[in-house]
Amino acid sequence: MNTRISSTQSSLNRAMTAEQFNEVVKAIADGKYSWACLLILRFAGYNPLHFIPHRTYSRLMKDNNINQMVITSSTNQVKISSKAS
């Protein structure tokens, strides 16, 4: 039995942009698995603090030199901002 996929079904909405996906892949390649998990949760629109302890979250943010996460409400996209050197 063959199933036809309509053009609307074939163009799936993606949870992450290509840039966000590359950031997750880089974290995995660097061996930062906890950081990759945090990014996946954040990019998917979840609050990582609902899934991991605050202490772990704070350590990950500090270890990765992140001072803020800005959520653009109109597009529901997440941008990670690093601390200035």
Side-chain angles (χ1 to χ4, degrees):
M1 175 184 253
N2 292 335
T3 306
R4 294 185 126 193
I5 299 175
S6 70
S7 63
T8 57
Q9 289 177 337
S10 64
S11 62
L12 299 172
N13 290 334
R14 298 201 186 330
M16 285 186 256
T17 65
E19 180 182 317
Q20 291 170 334
F21 179 77
N22 289 335
E23 195 168 340
V24 171
V25 170
K26 182 182 180 309
I28 293 169
D30 292 343
K32 297 179 176 182
Y33 305 112
S34 298
W35 179 242
C37 290
L38 185 143
L39 291 175
I40 290 169
L41 287 168
R42 185 58 83 176
F43 293 152
Y46 294 100
N47 181 352
L49 290 171
H50 291 163
F51 301 93
I52 61 175
H54 188 274
R55 184 174 176 184
T56 302
Y57 177 84
S58 297
R59 179 185 51 81
L60 288 170
M61 298 297 282
K62 181 181 175 186
D63 290 350
N64 290 285
N65 295 323
I66 304 300
N67 63 349
Q68 63 180 347
M69 288 193 169
V70 180
I71 300 175
T72 307
S73 59
S74 61
T75 60
N76 218 9
Q77 295 292 323
V78 178
K79 181 176 181 174
I80 307 288
S81 301
S82 297
K83 288 182 180 176
S85 299

